[in-house]
Amino acid sequence: CCSRHYSWNYNECAGIDNAALGPDGEALYYPDWEGENKSCKNDGGQPEYMSNNPTAWMFETLEACCTARYSWNMNDCVGAAGATTVTGSNKWYPNWEDFVCVQDCVGDSPCGGLAESWDPLYDTVNTCCDTKLNWVTECVTKSGGTSTGATAAAATTSGKWYVDYDTDTCKQDCVGSAPCGGAAESWEVLYDTVSACCQGKLWWVESCGPYAG
């Protein structure tokens, strides 16, 4: 009867007192929507409607609760509860808000938090700065690294040209001031001249560069 007609309030209907306990006697986890709304808790402070229907609202493990209720913010959810130590790769990725490179790790600077799946990762701060923020003066130093002048990226550049769709221009595969655009990625199509690059990739942009006649 309770299952059929009072599923939303099953435990009270059935007279179950330990609604917030799992099969092993441990407190169940619930989404902390009425608190900081960042993670799941198992402190027994869940709203009454969750206690009354734990099957719908509560979970035996932190990971299960975070997956179901905070999948969009999984790392923060699991980390905020302190149950799991979340670590990154310690590689470097660009922070486009501050125009520096930060490390894929949790903690004090130069850690910038865990990288998103779409963030490009680099083995060194120098390579990150040279490839993604080459126009930023003292990028390596501002990012917490030590400037060493020429970097490994500089030794592997070709001097050819590739398209930068962010600015609708063609940039040179080199490290330094403009027209250098940093080391080209492995998937970039390279051209011997800026004209060939503009004709091949940005033919509709008149300001791209001189067209080959």
Side-chain angles (χ1 to χ4, degrees):
C1 176
C2 289
S3 296
R4 183 173 182 180
H5 298 291
Y6 295 96
S7 60
W8 54 273
N9 197 19
Y10 176 83
N11 287 287
E12 185 174 336
C13 173
I16 299 175
D17 293 330
N18 294 326
L21 297 181
D24 58 357
E26 295 293 327
L28 295 175
Y29 286 88
Y30 67 94
D32 186 30
W33 290 329
E34 296 183 5
E36 294 183 354
N37 196 24
K38 293 182 178 180
S39 186
C40 295
K41 294 182 177 181
N42 66 339
D43 57 3
Q46 67 276 358
E48 184 177 356
Y49 72 88
M50 292 186 183
S51 294
N52 289 337
N53 191 9
T55 302
W57 300 107
M58 305 185 74
F59 305 85
E60 292 182 25
T61 66
L62 172 65
E63 288 75 13
C65 182
C66 287
T67 299
R69 303 303 182 191
Y70 293 97
S71 60
W72 51 272
N73 198 24
M74 187 70 179
N75 284 323
D76 285 345
C77 178
V78 175
T84 303
T85 301
V86 184
T87 60
S89 65
N90 286 324
K91 293 188 176 184
W92 297 80
Y93 65 95
N95 177 333
W96 297 110
E97 292 183 2
D98 299 326
F99 295 108
V100 296
C101 284
V102 294
Q103 259 185 311
D104 176 27
C105 56
V106 177
D108 297 331
S109 179
C111 289
L114 299 179
E116 300 290 351
S117 58
W118 57 80
D119 285 319
L121 296 175
Y122 300 91
D123 290 332
T124 68
V125 61
N126 296 72
T127 305
C128 177
C129 283
D130 288 340
T131 304
K132 292 299 183 181
L133 297 168
N134 64 297
W135 71 91
V136 178
T137 305
E138 306 275 341
C139 172
V140 173
T141 303
K142 292 177 181 177
S143 301
T146 302
S147 180
T148 58
T151 66
T156 59
T157 55
S158 66
K160 294 187 177 183
W161 298 80
Y162 63 93
V163 65
D164 178 0
Y165 287 113
D166 289 335
T167 59
D168 282 342
T169 60
C170 283
K171 293 184 177 179
Q172 203 166 13
D173 177 25
C174 57
V175 176
S177 57
C180 291
E185 300 287 356
S186 58
W187 61 80
E188 303 280 8
V189 178
L190 298 176
Y191 296 87
D192 291 332
T193 66
V194 63
S195 298
C197 176
C198 286
Q199 282 189 323
K201 295 294 185 180
L202 296 169
W203 65 89
W204 69 91
V205 180
E206 295 184 1
S207 60
C208 174
Y211 292 94

